[in-house]
Amino acid sequence: MSDAEGTVKLETAGFDARFPNTNQTKHCWQNYVDYFKCVNARGEDFEPCKQFYKAYHSLCPNEWISKWDEQREEGTNPSNFNV
């Protein structure tokens, strides 16, 4: 794909000192929760929220994201997404 057609730049989530271990499960979950808290507080167009989105999509398996999305929509997700 050339630059004229448009390219997609893939990036992984950067280092987060809160999660220094190699197991990134908690890092994945926290970015998922932080994204929806940010969106609820500031809206989807708020640029800093997009960093959380990129991070959890980089770290979390798609199956987890799908499950959490379903739980969130049903109101059964254990996290509080309100600020």
Side-chain angles (χ1 to χ4, degrees), residues 3-73:
D3 287 338
E5 296 175 23
T7 58
V8 175
K9 183 178 177 184
L10 300 177
E11 296 179 13
T12 188
F15 176 75
D16 189 334
R18 299 177 296 172
F19 308 98
N21 299 321
T22 55
N23 184 338
Q24 295 295 302
T25 303
K26 289 182 181 177
H27 189 186
C28 154
W29 171 252
Q30 191 61 55
N31 278 286
Y32 181 84
V33 172
D34 288 346
Y35 172 72
F36 287 101
K37 284 184 175 184
C38 184
V39 166
N40 288 340
R42 301 289 186 142
E44 288 187 31
D45 295 332
F46 189 60
E47 193 64 33
C49 293
K50 294 178 184 177
Q51 180 59 36
F52 295 125
Y53 179 88
K54 291 176 187 174
Y56 87 77
H57 272 277
S58 172
L59 294 167
C60 302
N62 291 334
E63 293 81 18
W64 293 5
I65 296 170
S66 296
K67 179 182 175 184
W68 296 338
D69 286 344
E70 288 174 16
Q71 290 175 338
R72 191 173 38 80
E73 290 167 5

